[in-house]
Amino acid sequence: MHNVRYVVSTLWKLTIVTVCVCLIFQPLSIKAQEKQHVLVVLPSNNEQAEVHQHLLDMLIGHFTTNITFKKSEDVQANDVKDTSYIFYYGAVKEKLPSSFIELINESPQQLVVIGYNAEQLMPDSNFKTIAGDTSFTSILYNQSEYDVEQQEFVMVQDDQNVNILVEAVNEQGTVPLFTQKGRAWYYASANLFSSSSNILSEVLHEVFEVDHQDSRQAYLRLEDIHPGVDAKKLERIGEFLKEENIPYLASISPVYINPETEEIYTLSDTPDVVKVLQGMQENGASFVLHGYADQYGEEETGSGFEFWDKEANKPLEEHKKTAYSGTESFIKHATLREKLEAGIQELVDYKLLPIAFEAPHYAMSQQGYETIAEYFSTYVGQVQLSDKDWRMMTEAPVQTKPKFLHGMTLLPETIRYVRYDEPDSITEMQEKMEDMQIVRDGVIGGFYHPFMGIEQLKKLVQEMQDIPGVTWLDVKEGNHSVHMEDYTIQTDQQGVKLIPASPDKNDETSEEASFLPTFRMTVAHLGWIGLGFTLTGLVVFISFYRADRGIRPE
């Protein structure tokens, strides 16, 4: 009997060890971000459905990438069945289909209603409209008051049995803004632009029951760097940020065009700029590809659009690939894909390794995002929400991975920039920093033009460093990559690496980059095989033991 217990004990310990090995080394094919399935329903009569869908996509994309979008008239039982959460965004008033209301009433999932039409989906709650001034400019949350840009109420929940998470302050006093009753949550505004998005983003942590770290991250981006910049000014700024031990981003366009003189400069024409950029990269800078020439038509680099027809307010018509007679011809007629590849390659030729992309003036078509995502894993700045109007753009208050970016992570710009003709714009940026305080894991990101010199930059840095609990975001420490046919640019804890697609066996960098994932996968497979053998052995042993004792199945 002692031997039997020993064998059983040994097998049991082996099983535990094997499972632990599997859990440690098994690649996480199902990320936490993908577990929750969310159904988002929009009004059927919504002319701005694309814009509203993308707004909510950015907010929910911080918590899950498993999102389905439907119009209220198209929702079927199968759409609801496998969801964890149902969001209804009442951006406009509508009479909801009875079939949709019935599905919602019968479903056990968490329900989040935003804006109009809540009374149709939440029959057990009382709603009322507010008489008089329906706007508010501050909120109460967690016993603290926050100023917000003026917003309008839709209606409010007038019910003694609700849990009030956020209150809005207006001339009448306090009014419920975000409430919960049972499985239903209600947000009494239809505005999802900043700074309303800050409030909603924060409270969604409660909805999804995700306790993200309460640590606000700040990043600074140096904007519009190109072969025409003043290398000495740029170098001095890089030295200052190094002295302050601040990691930062630098957005680079590898070509500079001066339409007044018809001069075109590339990195090969400005070795002093290249040398400064290489030094910045060694001392903490992370590079962002900011278009190819950052201009379109007759505008100077840094002043115009590149991938959007501003005059017609529509996406640029893509030219067919053709042979180009020179740099000028390429700039005028190359496709987005060709410019992405040329821009990446020209930086890499000078050992400058970009890890993200930023569209000039943030103007980009929805198809353009899909093309960019084939190369870049990370997008920086604001995003355009519609192909109908480039001015319809915004940002999320947090890092997010919305579906319309096709797998790219958005690193948002949330506090804008120092305007060279308005020194007081730093005060406006400070107000936006304060707005961001409500978001527990918000990103406080802004940019600065190096041609302005260093004094205004010092003021901005000081304001950002004074944010309570802020930490500087070192983008290189995240998981970012750029994919070309012949190589991949990849970040890790040691920095940024260039990994050839067909690595030479003598390339230590490539071997190091590929060894750990291969090792982990191998051990994981061996672990599962070992677990199978262990369980099989345990079953066989128990069968023999039962047979030896004369135990037979009934």
Side-chain angles (χ1 to χ4, degrees), residues 294-320:
D294 190 11
Q295 64 88 238
Y296 174 67
E298 302 302 319
E299 295 178 302
E300 184 180 6
T301 290
S303 301
F305 292 43
E306 184 167 7
F307 303 116
W308 187 265
D309 187 335
K310 182 181 177 182
E311 300 303 322
N313 198 11
K314 66 178 184 179
L316 286 175
E317 295 182 7
E318 284 282 355
H319 299 279
K320 293 182 179 180

Side-chain angles (χ1 to χ4, degrees), residues 184-200:
W185 309 71
Y186 176 59
Y187 183 61
S189 173
N191 179 12
L192 297 189
F193 286 93
S194 177
S195 58
S196 182
S197 59
N198 298 348
I199 307 164
L200 192 54

Side-chain angles (χ1 to χ4, degrees), residues 213-391:
Q213 185 177 2
D214 188 6
S215 174
R216 294 160 191 84
Q217 293 183 308
Y219 82 81
L220 177 67
R221 188 174 80 246
L222 302 180
E223 188 80 342
D224 291 338
I225 298 173
H226 48 68
V229 299
D230 186 321
K232 291 190 179 298
K233 282 187 177 181
L234 186 62
E235 184 177 28
R236 179 68 191 96
I237 286 174
E239 290 173 348
F240 164 70
L241 295 173
K242 178 186 176 182
E243 292 167 3
E244 294 294 317
N245 196 29
I246 296 174
Y248 59 98
L249 295 170
S251 290
I252 306 174
S253 306
V255 173
Y256 171 73
I257 300 175
N258 187 336
E260 293 184 0
T261 62
E262 297 185 352
E263 293 175 303
I264 298 176
Y265 293 97
T266 63
L267 292 173
S268 63
D269 300 314
T270 54
D272 54 342
V273 174
V274 172
K275 183 178 180 181
V276 171
L277 289 173
Q278 289 173 340
M280 291 168 66
Q281 183 172 246
E282 292 175 2
N283 293 313
S286 298
F287 291 149
V288 178
L289 180 64
H290 189 35
Y292 183 70
D294 190 11
Q295 64 88 238
Y296 174 67
E298 302 302 319
E299 295 178 302
E300 184 180 6
T301 290
S303 301
F305 292 43
E306 184 167 7
F307 303 116
W308 187 265
D309 187 335
K310 182 181 177 182
E311 300 303 322
N313 198 11
K314 66 178 184 179
L316 286 175
E317 295 182 7
E318 284 282 355
H319 299 279
K320 293 182 179 180
K321 287 188 175 183
T322 183
Y324 303 108
S325 56
T327 302
E328 182 178 1
S329 174
F330 180 84
I331 292 169
K332 288 183 177 180
H333 303 296
T335 64
L336 169 60
R337 184 181 301 278
E338 289 173 316
K339 286 187 175 182
L340 290 174
E341 294 180 357
I344 295 168
Q345 188 59 54
E346 291 194 30
L347 292 182
V348 169
D349 285 345
Y350 292 93
K351 298 182 180 180
L352 308 174
L353 305 181
I355 60 174
F357 183 81
E358 175 198 352
H361 284 265
Y362 311 126
M364 179 57 60
S365 70
Q366 300 304 304
Q367 177 60 48
Y369 288 132
E370 187 171 358
T371 300
I372 294 167
E374 294 180 27
Y375 299 88
F376 291 88
S377 70
T378 307
Y379 192 91
V380 174
Q382 298 182 56
V383 289
Q384 186 171 318
L385 301 173
S386 170
D387 282 353
K388 296 179 180 179
D389 189 350
W390 71 268
R391 293 165 296 187

